[in-house]
Amino acid sequence: MKPVCIIAGAGDFYEGAPIAPRAEDFVIAADAGYTALCQRGVRIDEVIGDFDSMGRAPDHPNVYRLPVEKDDTDMLFALRVGLKRGYREFHLYGGVGGRLDHTLANLQCLAWLARQGCRGYLYGDQCVLSAIYNDCLRFRPLEDGIFSLFAHGGTARGVSIRGLKYTLDSADVGCDFPIGVSNAFIGQPAEVSVRDGLLIVSFPYGALETGG
């Protein structure tokens, strides 16, 4: 398994999604994500942010301070840092809950990563969110669990779902009707793919074939 970049934000952290970086992984604290990681005893390699949530920059040897007025969110800037370091897989914690606009911004970050040819995983309450762009995801044969998908940024064309309760075969899915909510795992290997477009998908912890 290749090294990954782990980023912690200032949002909610949930039981069942422990942060356990390996020695080769790179861990970034985005603003008040620093406090959350310290509370959990997680190693921090770099701290990035404008520190409006914390009130001051932390005492850490690798701090990158951002201006308060900027285009990038702290999370997006942290993703850019990870990309420059060569990482292609990102695991985002503390990126949902709290302010709804921050959650929506982090969903856009997943979409941005997908368009860079990368993969991001955003950990929520008993679910993981990811984005795929002209790509596919494969899942283990879970006996139960909810799967949902949403077209993002326009119509997603050639969407196929296999191995779940409700299937699709090269269908078009629009971004203005929630047809993809509340599908279900049924104990079979499953796969979702999109030929042309971008999907936001939600699935249980541990559902990915690779263990994500």
Side-chain angles (χ1 to χ4, degrees):
M1 187 174 178
K2 293 181 179 180
V4 304
C5 183
I6 295 170
I7 303 176
D12 293 339
F13 287 71
Y14 300 96
E15 295 297 325
I19 306 176
R22 302 162 301 170
E24 63 269 29
D25 296 334
F26 191 72
V27 182
I28 302 175
D31 206 297
Y34 176 83
T35 302
L37 292 180
C38 287
Q39 290 172 344
R40 288 161 176 79
V42 176
R43 176 193 92 240
I44 301 170
D45 296 307
E46 190 163 353
V47 188
I48 291 171
D50 54 26
F51 305 111
D52 57 347
S53 299
M54 296 182 64
R56 62 178 180 83
D59 183 16
H60 188 277
N62 299 312
V63 174
Y64 195 115
R65 185 155 196 163
L66 303 173
V68 175
E69 295 184 1
K70 58 188 183 303
D71 291 335
D72 287 1
T73 63
D74 293 342
M75 183 69 80
L76 180 56
F77 194 91
L79 291 172
R80 291 188 192 276
V81 169
L83 277 173
K84 287 181 180 179
R85 287 180 170 270
Y87 294 95
R88 309 296 289 174
E89 182 174 321
F90 297 81
H91 294 255
L92 314 181
Y93 299 83
V96 300
R99 283 175 50 179
L100 178 59
D101 56 341
H102 284 173
T103 298
L104 293 173
N106 290 328
L107 291 175
Q108 287 190 318
C109 285
L110 293 179
W112 179 82
L113 279 174
R115 290 185 181 275
Q116 313 303 310
C118 300
R119 182 65 51 76
Y121 300 104
L122 175 62
Y123 291 81
D125 187 7
Q126 300 303 314
C127 72
V128 183
L129 296 132
S130 190
I132 55 174
Y133 177 63
N134 301 352
D135 202 352
C136 70
L137 277 177
R138 296 181 177 90
F139 303 95
R140 299 190 298 108
L142 300 184
E143 293 300 325
D144 56 26
I146 300 299
F147 172 90
S148 297
L149 66 77
F150 308 88
H152 183 85
T155 299
R157 304 191 185 280
V159 176
S160 295
I161 301 173
R162 297 182 176 88
L164 298 177
K165 182 176 181 179
Y166 306 109
T167 62
L168 282 177
D169 184 15
S170 196
D172 291 349
V173 177
C175 63
D176 55 359
F177 186 76
I179 189 66
V181 171
S182 295
N183 208 329
F185 288 88
I186 54 174
Q188 299 179 14
E191 178 180 317
V192 58
S193 62
V194 55
R195 185 186 69 249
D196 181 18
L198 197 149
L199 297 175
I200 301 289
V201 297
S202 171
F203 48 88
Y205 297 156
L208 278 182
E209 198 174 60
T210 54

